[in-house]
Amino acid sequence: MSETLARPAGPVAPPVMTSPISSPRRRWAALVVLMLPVLLVSVDNTALSFAVPSLARDLQPSATQLLWIVDAYPLVLAGLLVAMGSVGDRVGRRRLLLVGATGFAVVSAAAAFAPTAAWLIAARAALGFFGAMLMPATLSLLRNIFVDAQERRKAIAIWASGFSGGAALGPIVGGWLLEHYEWGSIFLMAVPVLVPLLVLGPVLLPESRDPDPGPVDPVGIVLAVLALGGLVFAIKAAGADDSAVVVVGAAVVGLASGVAFVRRMLARPQPMLDVRLFRNRVFSGALATNLVAVFAFVGFIYFLSQHLQLVAGYSPMAAGWLMVPGLVVTIICGLLAVRLVRRLTAAQVVVIGLLLNTAGYAVVALLGSEGSLVALLVGFVILSAGVGLAETISNDLALTAVPPEKAGAASAVSETAYEVGAVLGVAVLGSLLNLAYRTGVEVPSQLPADQTALAGETLAGAVEVAESWPGALGEALLQSASGAFDHGVVLTAGVGVLLTALMAVVAGRALRH
């Protein structure tokens, strides 16, 4: 398979950029502005994980609705990232960034006051729509602002560490908000973060666009959303014990839509996404690495945040502080990766990162059967170190494997891999965890039917029911629910071990040149 990208015949026009930044100080100031939406998205994701117990008690969603509350945003975002990258190439990446920031702030305010689980799911989907405008624009603008290779790699490391930095701030800020205000305050955080972007963006960020962009393809957009949505829905339906017809039907829709999307992109003279880019082994290997690293990271956070609050009994803010060491390690290792690639190859750094992911999950799989908090936190620190190494280098490899004029498309695909990893991390590991919980929990027969159903559905439901039954009955329910949850954590950790170890082998082969 070819390891070079197919380029159009004839000379390629350079990317159009108004007012290119020649001053180093101004370039780094522009990076600070681009970090605002990155921090916002990562803070929102982590803080929302900590808000799950609170909103579960308030809105009382089913287990499937709870997963959709977490996944609706990254699912819609992932389905639209490629399309929005194409739109940014056409109308201007800075313009799209500012439109997305405005919409994100408005919808965040609406989500903060959601009265039902269905309302919150819809708001999260709308946030995904506007979030899809934010992320490709940040990375593609960065690619065109920093033209020097060393400077760009450092900028990408800082950009990637923004996700980890936001994840580190998320538990602290989110925990403080949840202890003083309702869970809706998590969404209101977006407003003060995005206002500086809207004010400083037009001043510090240059406009850039592809001089010869492909057309926006509505049919292709629908096929991309159906492909990802169908597969994720099938995973969730399987975890929720839905009928085989629903599971298989959703999977068939997803696979058929994916095949149709690829065929359509190959047939069009100017495709929304040039799928031939995936012939480049470095590009494809970097994307796969990014997806699996985020899958492992988000999936771990999903069950760790619930264990800390619902099993170990920590307050949201205390639980956030316990997660900070691992999240800080992600930032440190992300910056360390820039130095390591001067001594080791990029492939070696990526493989080391993925093997650290494997080791982190192995600690939980071997020592977490008794609900050991130490095992969970040590495993999280090890895994976080691996994510910092693997994600930083994989983002740099994916972005620099394409010519500058295709930065929008490459950044969109890279962000899609990130968000697909986030979606699947919760969908796959979360569905396995929920399935293990439902099959393992023993609800006392003395409980009424409605409370039996609630306690048997989710750990948050069991905690809520147990609080209304003080004494031996509530204690027995809590003990059974905690044991079933921890058994599910060990099961998901085993899946994480296998997947990250396999990806280390694949990445080593794909990136070795």
Side-chain angles (χ1 to χ4, degrees):
M1 186 174 291
S2 172
E3 296 188 15
T4 58
L5 294 174
R7 297 173 181 261
V12 177
V16 175
M17 181 184 295
T18 60
S19 304
I21 301 177
S22 58
S23 166
R25 180 177 298 179
R26 193 173 178 85
R27 285 198 296 272
W28 293 109
L31 176 62
V32 171
V33 173
L34 290 176
M35 293 294 292
L36 291 173
V38 174
L39 288 168
L40 171 65
V41 171
S42 55
V43 165
D44 179 72
N45 282 338
T46 310
L48 181 64
S49 296
F50 275 76
V52 164
S54 299
L55 65 87
R57 294 190 185 100
D58 190 7
L59 302 181
Q60 295 190 352
S62 67
T64 301
Q65 284 181 317
L66 191 61
L67 288 177
W68 277 114
I69 287 172
V70 177
D71 275 348
Y73 167 79
L75 177 60
V76 173
L77 189 149
L80 293 177
L81 276 170
V82 172
M84 290 303 179
S86 177
V87 172
D89 289 345
R90 175 178 291 275
V91 305
R93 292 144 187 167
R94 183 183 66 182
R95 178 181 299 176
L96 191 69
L97 177 67
L98 298 178
V99 171
T102 302
F104 200 97
V106 172
V107 177
S108 293
F113 302 100
T116 64
W119 176 296
L120 186 55
I121 292 171
R124 290 279 291 166
L127 287 173
F129 175 81
F130 289 107
M133 300 180 186
L134 297 175
M135 303 318 297
T138 62
L139 195 54
S140 55
L141 281 170
L142 185 151
R143 171 67 175 85
N144 286 308
I145 289 172
F146 294 92
V147 295
D148 177 75
Q150 289 297 326
E151 206 174 47
R152 182 184 60 245
R153 180 166 284 171
K154 183 182 296 184
I156 290 176
I158 296 172
W159 178 89
S161 70
F163 284 105
S164 304
L169 288 174
I172 303 303
V173 176
W176 185 86
L177 288 172
L178 290 170
E179 288 192 3
H180 293 83
Y181 304 101
E182 298 295 327
W183 55 263
S185 60
I186 296 297
F187 294 99
L188 290 177
M189 285 192 300
V191 178
V193 173
L194 289 176
V195 167
L197 171 64
L198 293 172
V199 173
L200 297 175
V203 178
L204 292 175
L205 299 177
E207 184 59 280
S208 103
R209 62 177 63 89
D210 188 341
D212 186 26
V216 177
D217 180 6
V219 175
I221 294 172
V222 172
L223 289 174
V225 173
L226 286 176
L228 184 61
L231 292 174
V232 173
F233 186 85
I235 294 171
K236 292 178 181 294
D241 286 335
D242 284 348
S243 68
V245 174
V246 173
V247 176
V248 174
V252 168
V253 169
L255 291 172
S257 299
V259 172
F261 176 81
V262 172
R263 294 184 65 179
R264 182 176 179 83
M265 295 302 103
L266 289 172
R268 291 175 68 84
Q270 284 189 303
M272 180 177 68
L273 171 64
D274 186 0
V275 294
R276 295 175 182 85
L277 293 174
F278 293 95
R279 292 177 178 174
N280 185 312
R281 292 177 62 180
V282 173
F283 183 72
S284 297
L287 292 179
T289 297
N290 198 4
L291 187 153
V292 171
V294 174
F295 174 100
F297 191 59
V298 173
F300 204 115
I301 288 177
Y302 180 77
F303 63 70
L304 178 58
S305 61
Q306 293 188 69
H307 179 96
L308 289 173
Q309 295 178 77
L310 299 176
V311 177
Y314 288 97
S315 68
M317 193 167 185
W321 280 111
L322 287 172
M323 290 181 64
V324 164
L327 297 168
V328 170
V329 165
T330 310
I331 301 174
I332 294 172
C333 288
L335 298 175
L336 179 63
V338 179
R339 293 180 175 272
L340 285 178
V341 292
R342 299 174 185 173
R343 300 176 179 272
L344 304 173
T345 66
Q348 289 172 331
V349 175
V350 168
V351 169
I352 290 171
L354 290 168
L355 290 178
L356 286 172
N357 292 345
T358 304
Y361 269 113
V363 169
V364 177
L366 295 174
L367 304 176
S369 60
E370 300 300 324
S372 170
L373 182 59
V374 173
L376 285 174
L377 293 177
V378 169
F380 184 57
V381 169
I382 297 172
L383 178 136
S384 298
V387 170
L389 295 176
E391 188 189 347
T392 298
I393 301 304
S394 64
N395 273 310
D396 182 53
L397 290 173
L399 196 59
T400 56
V402 302
E405 67 275 5
K406 296 301 179 185
S411 61
V413 176
S414 180
E415 284 299 320
T416 300
Y418 181 96
E419 295 300 335
V420 169
V423 169
L424 294 181
V426 175
V428 175
L429 298 185
S431 294
L432 283 174
L433 183 57
N434 288 338
L435 181 61
Y437 173 82
R438 288 197 304 273
T439 56
V441 65
E442 296 181 3
V443 181
S445 58
Q446 299 94 316
L447 295 180
D450 58 335
Q451 290 190 335
T452 297
L454 182 62
E457 186 80 7
T458 64
L459 177 61
V463 172
E464 180 181 346
V465 171
E467 289 175 349
S468 66
W469 291 86
L473 187 64
E475 183 63 30
L477 175 58
L478 277 180
Q479 186 174 357
S480 175
S482 299
F485 184 84
D486 288 332
H487 175 72
V489 167
V490 172
L491 174 64
T492 56
V495 174
V497 168
L498 294 176
L499 183 62
T500 54
L502 177 62
M503 190 62 233
V505 176
V506 172
R509 293 178 60 86
L511 305 178
R512 64 173 180 256
H513 297 300

